[in-house]
Amino acid sequence: MATYTTFPHDHPHLTKCIICTAPIALDQAIPGSLQADGQQAFACEYHIQSRDVWITGWALFDIEQDAMTNSALRAKQAA
Amino acid sequence: MNPSTSLPEWFIDIRSLTSPEQISLDLSRHLPRRAAIGPVAIIAERPVVLLSVIKKRWSTIIREVQRQYSCTLHKAKKEGLRREIERLQSYEFSALSKRTPQTNILFSTAEELSENDLFMTIYLTVGLSHTQLLPLMEHILPYGCLVTYTGWPEEIEDLIH
């Protein structure tokens, strides 16, 4: 369904799907929210067609990333 | 390019959908992920009409997340879905003429955006020529994303390369 691309168009970067953890090429990935370190996170493009998987997968991912951000903040404050 | 990751500064997501129903469905499913990380613009030929369609779909999504929340006993999943519901209910949608400082998701035509408008994500639902697209790209924040439902002219890549 979706075709994902970046500049340069044929960028060889492989990424990981946050829902099924499979390695994916950017032309088969959809950008969603961000990782705790501010990097762009991606999911396989076909997951968006499954409403439940898409919603729950990203909701779980976001909460994990928030927990990582909070724990990094606490460690920083403790130091 | 971002030297630390070798990922590009912009992400261009080209969606090959054509019917208005498919586009509004895809957009409303993807939008919560992008609205969470920064301001969003949705460029449409008739922004007010699309606003009304997306708002309707948004209510359906909220009901769906609430249903999933009620059905799960998994603690982390439940917490994730609870926060998702809170987030979905907190976003402010607006057409340009009624925007406020709280507006997270702005519906506009490409021409009506102000010079200082910057977004993490722009959804493009109307076909623009490359000379119209280039100024639109200037409204995208670094590491932001353009999602286009109307293809991507080759002339732009030639210009950038």
Side-chain angles (χ1 to χ4, degrees), chain B residues 127-141:
Chain B
L128 297 182
S129 69
H130 72 279
T131 48
Q132 292 169 306
L133 261 173
L134 285 173
L136 184 68
M137 296 298 290
E138 287 172 15
H139 293 285
I140 301 181
L141 286 161

Side-chain angles (χ1 to χ4, degrees), chain B residues 6-156:
Chain B
S6 81
L7 278 173
E9 289 188 6
W10 291 332
F11 299 95
I12 314 295
D13 191 353
I14 304 167
R15 309 282 176 92
S16 42
L17 300 169
T18 47
S19 84
E21 289 76 23
Q22 282 181 319
I23 290 172
S24 65
L25 179 64
D26 185 84
L27 199 158
S28 58
R29 263 188 205 171
H30 189 246
L31 185 54
R33 306 278 55 88
R34 300 299 304 177
I37 60 175
V40 174
I42 298 175
I43 305 300
E45 200 176 343
R46 292 184 295 166
V48 177
V49 174
L50 188 57
L51 168 61
S52 146
V53 173
I54 296 294
K55 270 186 145 177
K56 221 174 254 180
R57 289 208 183 272
W58 202 256
S59 308
T60 310
I61 288 176
I62 292 175
R63 281 199 301 275
E64 176 57 29
V65 184
Q66 285 168 333
R67 183 193 66 76
Q68 287 188 36
Y69 174 82
S70 320
C71 291
T72 186
L73 296 172
H74 187 283
K75 199 178 163 193
K77 203 182 276 183
K78 212 166 175 74
E79 177 59 11
L81 292 169
R82 184 190 65 75
R83 290 168 64 165
E84 184 76 0
I85 294 165
E86 274 181 10
R87 267 203 298 253
L88 291 172
Q89 289 173 332
S90 72
Y91 297 129
E92 294 280 336
F93 296 72
S94 173
L96 199 70
S97 57
K98 292 189 178 169
R99 81 192 290 186
T100 69
Q102 285 74 43
T103 301
N104 315 92
I105 301 164
L106 181 71
F107 289 71
S108 174
T109 61
E111 301 77 25
E112 286 172 326
L113 291 177
S114 312
E115 204 175 305
N116 299 328
D117 280 330
L118 288 171
F119 305 96
M120 272 307 283
T121 311
I122 295 180
Y123 290 91
L124 184 59
T125 67
V126 283
L128 297 182
S129 69
H130 72 279
T131 48
Q132 292 169 306
L133 261 173
L134 285 173
L136 184 68
M137 296 298 290
E138 287 172 15
H139 293 285
I140 301 181
L141 286 161
Y143 312 112
C145 178
L146 176 82
V147 179
T148 169
Y149 293 96
T150 55
W152 187 248
E154 281 179 16
E155 297 96 317
I156 290 213

